[in-house]
């Protein structure tokens, strides 16, 4: 496996900065959801690290759920409008105030489709919390209620986000130097 230091362009968001922003977001969500029946729905797999830190920052009682979707994409690092649920919720959300927890919103296609699928099930409310927003890349409008950081149009990894399935474990958000990454992949054969 490649050592990430060899293709890390820069650390975009440090562990300390991530953690202090997540504490703020948790406090805000705790205030906003007073009296509500909060269900955090994590979209696997990228959102998992964010979910586990965010839920510890939320003092208000809540439940969690997971779902996974795959996009019939162009392959590689783009997504299209077409998604398929590969893991569905085990909860009837009609009694819940659902807050979707996502790692990153890029084109917006994935979240747009998830919102359509879930709104049909008539949750009490449906809102979105994303750690990262690549706003420049947006192709469909998404209501974003809680956003950790707006980031530039660069491919990032770490803190749940993968590059070709690896490096989700890193505690910070890094920018991939794609030229270096490709060159290293090529020399590996
Ligand atoms: P969208 O449908 O274009 O908004 O894509 C959203 C999904 O693409 C995210 O949930 C991520 O899994 C993935 N994605 C988008 N940008 C990045 C990135 O910079 N690094 C890693 N994954 C990304
Ligand atoms: Mg994702």
């Amino acid at each position: 496996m490649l050592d990430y230091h060899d293709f890390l362009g820069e650390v975009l968001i440090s562990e300390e900065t991530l953690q202090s922003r997540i504490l703020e977001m948790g406090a805000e969500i705790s205030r906003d959801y007073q009296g509500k029946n909060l269900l955090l729905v994590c979209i696997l797999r990228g959102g998992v690290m964010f979910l586990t830190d965010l839920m510890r920052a939320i003092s208000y009682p809540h439940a969690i759920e997971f779902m996974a979707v795959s996009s019939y994409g162009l392959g590689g690092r783009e997504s299209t409008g077409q998604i398929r649920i590969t893991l569905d919720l085990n909860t009837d959300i009609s009694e819940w105030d659902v807050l979707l927890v996502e790692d990153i919103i890029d084109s917006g296609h994935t979240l747009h489709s998830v919102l359509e699928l879930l709104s049909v099930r008539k949750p009490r409310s449906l809102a979105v919390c994303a750690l990262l927003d690549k706003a420049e890349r947006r192709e469909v409008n998404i209501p974003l209620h809680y956003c950790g950081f707006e980031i530039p149009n660069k491919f990032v990894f770490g803190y749940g986000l993968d590059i070709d399935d690896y490096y989700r474990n890193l505690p910070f958000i890094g920018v991939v130097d794609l030229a270096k990454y490709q060159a290293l992949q090529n020399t590996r054969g």
Side-chain angles (χ1 to χ4, degrees):
M1 252 315 118
L2 298 177
D3 180 339
Y4 75 83
H5 293 96
D6 295 337
F7 58 80
L8 175 66
E10 59 173 316
V11 173
L12 188 65
I13 310 172
S14 71
E15 179 173 7
E16 293 69 28
T17 307
L18 281 172
Q19 293 300 331
S20 68
R21 179 72 186 114
I22 292 167
L23 287 178
E24 289 176 0
M25 296 172 87
E28 196 183 340
I29 291 166
S30 305
R31 280 194 304 274
D32 293 352
Y33 280 85
Q34 292 294 319
K36 299 198 169 159
N37 196 22
L38 175 60
L39 178 67
L40 302 178
V41 172
C42 174
I43 303 177
L44 295 173
R45 288 164 286 199
V48 78
M49 187 106 62
F50 180 39
L51 173 82
T52 57
D53 282 334
L54 183 67
M55 63 190 286
R56 281 178 285 192
I58 298 176
S59 54
Y60 187 71
H62 60 275
I64 60 168
E65 257 288 8
F66 296 91
M67 68 184 291
V69 298
S70 73
S71 46
Y72 298 109
L74 309 165
R77 316 199 198 288
E78 305 281 326
S79 79
T80 62
Q82 310 274 58
I83 67 160
R84 183 167 56 91
I85 296 181
T86 54
L87 175 75
D88 206 345
L89 305 174
N90 280 313
T91 304
D92 171 2
I93 57 174
S94 63
E95 301 297 309
W96 294 89
D97 292 287
V98 172
L99 182 59
L100 277 172
V101 177
E102 251 287 43
D103 50 356
I104 186 167
I105 308 180
D106 188 28
S107 70
H109 287 302
T110 306
L111 208 58
H112 179 80
S113 309
V114 170
L115 286 168
E116 264 184 357
L117 286 166
L118 294 185
S119 60
V120 175
R121 303 181 190 180
K122 303 272 177 258
R124 282 190 189 166
S125 64
L126 183 56
V128 177
C129 175
L131 180 66
L132 306 176
D133 179 13
K134 243 189 234 181
E136 242 179 85
R137 294 252 306 167
R138 196 75 84 259
E139 291 170 15
V140 283
N141 222 21
I142 296 293
L144 183 50
H145 306 83
Y146 304 94
C147 171
F149 304 87
E150 195 177 310
I151 64 164
N153 181 14
K154 292 179 175 168
F155 199 79
V156 293
F157 72 117
Y159 199 75
L161 292 126
D162 68 303
I163 173 159
D164 298 333
D165 293 326
Y166 291 92
Y167 314 105
R168 295 186 195 271
N169 57 304
L170 301 174
F172 58 84
I173 299 285
V175 175
V176 184
D177 183 329
L178 284 169
K180 276 191 190 164
Y181 182 77
Q182 281 310 332
L184 288 164
Q185 292 286 40
N186 293 340
T187 54
R188 284 169 75 233

